[in-house]
Amino acid sequence: MKLWIIGACGIVSTTAMVGGKNIEKGLIEKTGLVTELPYFEGIEKYAPLKFDFGGHDIRPIKNAYEAALEHWELNRHYERSLLNNVKEDLEKVKICKGTALNCGSGIEELGKIETLESENLTLSEIVERIEKDIKKFADDETVVINVASTEPLPKKCKYHETLDDFEKMIENDEKECATASMLYAYASIKLGIPYANFTPSVGSSIPALKELAIEKKVPHAGNDGKTGETLVKTTLAPMFLYRNLKIVGWMSYNILGDLDGKVLSHKDNKESKVVSKDKVLEKVLGYSPYSITEIQFFPSLVDNKTAFDFIHFQGFLGTKMKFYFIWDGIDAIVAAPLIIDIARFLLFAKKKNLYGVVKELGFFFKSPMETNIVNTHEQFEILKKWFKDLV
Ligand SMILES: NC(=O)c1ccc[n+]([C@@H]2O[C@H](COP(=O)([O-])OP(=O)(O)OC[C@H]3O[C@@H](n4cnc5c(N)ncnc54)[C@H](O)[C@@H]3O)[C@@H](O)[C@H]2O)c1
């Protein structure tokens, strides 16, 4: 299968490429891949573990190998030999210049960037270029996935409501109403290519693009990969619910370094992430305990994201008790296999003629589209049933 990755030079993307290619060559185990669990036996027929990668980025990096090496040198997050095994494959990955339209002040942290809008292109020309790049790479077995830096919440605009309006926005070159993630999503879906959004950016979640997906009969999924603290939160909170213990307060304090951490240290970019992380408790519990969700940049940790959580809960006779946990994960290592899983499930969905939002993939996301189910246990059962019924 082919994966076109938005944010191709990032650490999640390049770690997925290194893992995907090593798996394809039979050089590593498939630990971490949900699709390789026995419940999903048969997926190989629809989405084999053979990969071609390509993508858009806005940093002028020579190739995906150089990008992977840069991340590896800072993080050493897997054995160096695994990168050597796939050096030539990564050097061949096609990376095209993308757009960073309304991506917020956070992207200033990326260093030198080169974008389509800096060529003075109109919105239609930007979309045309994105489409052309993807089309050149894509075949019937292609999925587009967004793992670019998190954008701020988009400006509210009338153009997001219907497909007609969205296309008018492009035609009228109303740049202040479009964000990069919308344009990538629009281009992929318009080309009939399944699209996933692993970031909290808006992507395909506006009504106009949902309409496009129905019209073009394309499956899509998102938003924001559930990989660390929120995964634990939405797995653990149900325990309190099942035992009728009342959570009175939950504090989540996240620290992380690396590029993602730098971008999220900007207030406007961080807002999308905090909203995405903060909403889950109410959805699991059915009420809103007092909550604090913080994300802070901590440079020396690089990609080693640490989350400290404090839960205050009330039991029998009104007695209050406390629960603490610390999540100490390597962000790219927990995210990368999910990129492959989501892409495989979306290709499976396409081959089963499904289209629109694939709610059953909510298991992978912090803010799953068109469902309020964020309880991990429930989500996993839904995913298993969905696959079993279709396969
Ligand atoms: N566990 C996780 O790592 C995890 C979980 C959920 C969501 N995410 C999200 O995934 C995304 C990627 O995380 P990362 O750690 O790989 O970050 P990263 O900073 O290493 O990579 C992001 C890449 O996107 C590129 N980019 C930025 N804006 C772009 C644009 N408009 N078009 C094309 N490319 C663009 C950057 O140049 C960079 O190469 C972030 O939005 C992050 O919040 C990550």
Side-chain angles (χ1 to χ4, degrees):
M1 63 182 298
K2 291 189 171 193
L3 249 92
W4 186 265
I5 304 183
I6 314 298
C9 293
I11 188 166
V12 171
S13 163
T14 53
T15 307
M17 290 181 195
V18 170
K21 280 296 183 188
N22 271 284
I23 287 175
E24 179 181 321
K25 291 175 199 289
L27 299 174
I28 53 169
E29 284 179 21
K30 296 167 191 164
T31 317
L33 281 183
V34 173
T35 41
E36 287 301 304
L37 286 168
Y39 312 107
F40 306 111
E41 206 186 321
I43 190 136
E44 184 71 14
K45 196 174 121 203
Y46 301 87
L49 288 168
K50 292 206 170 69
F51 306 98
D52 261 340
F53 294 103
H56 282 109
D57 207 288
I58 52 170
R59 289 183 299 145
I61 294 179
K62 206 166 121 208
N63 56 51
Y65 174 74
E66 294 296 325
L69 184 61
E70 203 179 275
H71 293 298
W72 185 85
E73 278 173 346
L74 272 174
N75 288 286
R76 307 198 171 224
H77 49 312
Y78 48 79
E79 282 195 21
R80 178 71 169 83
S81 59
L82 299 179
L83 186 52
N84 296 346
N85 295 343
V86 298
K87 181 171 187 279
E88 280 162 27
D89 302 285
L90 263 63
E91 280 168 348
K92 282 190 228 143
V93 171
K94 174 85 184 145
I95 296 172
C96 302
K97 188 197 289 184
T99 167
L101 205 61
N102 296 316
C103 285
S105 56
I107 54 161
E108 287 159 16
E109 301 290 350
L110 300 174
K112 187 172 185 286
I113 60 167
E114 287 176 5
T115 63
L116 292 172
E117 51 279 9
S118 59
E119 292 179 24
N120 278 329
L121 302 185
T122 62
L123 267 186
S124 337
E125 288 165 336
I126 293 174
V127 170
E128 231 170 79
R129 281 275 287 275
I130 297 172
E131 276 179 27
K132 204 167 134 203
D133 296 334
I134 301 178
K135 210 168 164 185
K136 217 164 154 189
F137 168 86
D139 61 10
D140 279 350
E141 312 247 307
T142 302
V143 173
V144 170
I145 186 153
N146 180 16
V147 286
S149 313
T150 300
E151 297 169 357
L153 298 168
K155 188 177 156 199
K156 285 227 173 333
C157 276
K158 60 176 182 179
Y159 294 114
H160 301 159
E161 289 307 308
T162 69
L163 181 55
D164 263 1
D165 287 337
F166 190 84
E167 293 186 331
K168 256 183 226 137
M169 170 191 81
I170 296 176
E171 220 176 277
N172 300 343
D173 200 26
E174 299 274 6
K175 287 208 178 74
E176 71 284 4
C177 285
T179 69
S181 70
M182 285 179 200
L183 300 181
Y184 292 122
Y186 174 72
S188 335
I189 298 172
K190 197 167 154 224
L191 291 170
I193 301 173
Y195 166 88
N197 183 15
F198 202 74
T199 79
S201 308
V202 66
S204 62
S205 60
I206 53 173
L209 297 184
K210 287 183 178 168
E211 188 185 329
L212 178 68
I214 302 282
E215 191 183 298
K216 295 281 176 190
K217 299 199 170 350
V218 176
H220 62 127
N223 295 329
D224 200 9
K226 182 161 94 168
T227 58
E229 191 251 343
T230 312
L231 174 66
V232 181
K233 206 176 200 175
T234 52
T235 307
L236 190 62
M239 174 190 82
F240 293 92
L241 183 78
Y242 304 151
R243 285 295 168 100
N244 201 6
L245 298 168
K246 186 176 176 200
I247 295 175
V248 288
W250 193 311
M251 186 219 62
S252 315
Y253 199 91
N254 298 264
I255 50 175
L256 78 160
D258 225 0
L259 273 181
D260 190 25
K262 268 191 193 163
V263 172
L264 292 175
S265 69
H266 286 244
K267 195 170 161 271
D268 47 349
N269 299 73
K270 178 158 73 177
E271 197 186 352
S272 322
K273 191 63 132 191
V274 172
V275 168
S276 179
K277 285 172 90 65
D278 208 25
K279 274 189 188 155
V280 293
L281 275 183
E282 189 182 346
K283 289 183 188 164
V284 173
L285 301 169
Y287 61 90
S288 259
Y290 176 75
S291 86
I292 297 175
T293 303
E294 255 306 329
I295 307 172
Q296 292 293 341
F297 181 49
F298 203 95
S300 58
L301 278 179
V302 277
D303 205 45
N304 193 171
K305 209 258 286 302
T306 304
F308 305 87
D309 278 51
F310 166 70
I311 306 150
H312 205 194
F313 65 99
Q314 205 170 16
F316 201 46
L317 305 176
T319 303
K320 291 198 184 79
M321 294 166 270
K322 293 162 192 157
F323 186 101
Y324 310 78
F325 73 81
I326 296 175
W327 168 266
D328 200 349
I330 312 287
D331 251 4
I333 294 297
V334 286
L338 306 190
I339 304 304
I340 295 173
D341 285 325
I342 293 166
R344 294 182 93 191
F345 279 129
L346 273 181
L347 189 55
F348 172 72
K350 179 183 164 178
K351 292 188 176 176
K352 291 290 175 185
N353 299 317
L354 302 184
Y355 56 90
V357 175
V358 187
K359 294 184 207 141
E360 292 82 354
L361 297 187
F363 174 68
F364 293 103
F365 300 105
K366 285 192 197 76
S367 307
M369 283 193 275
E370 293 189 359
T371 168
N372 274 328
I373 300 173
V374 295
N375 174 330
T376 310
H377 312 276
E378 260 182 77
Q379 289 174 322
F380 191 48
E381 292 308 315
I382 290 170
L383 179 68
K384 285 192 301 189
K385 183 172 184 313
W386 172 75
F387 184 81
K388 193 174 162 216
D389 290 349
L390 284 167
V391 82

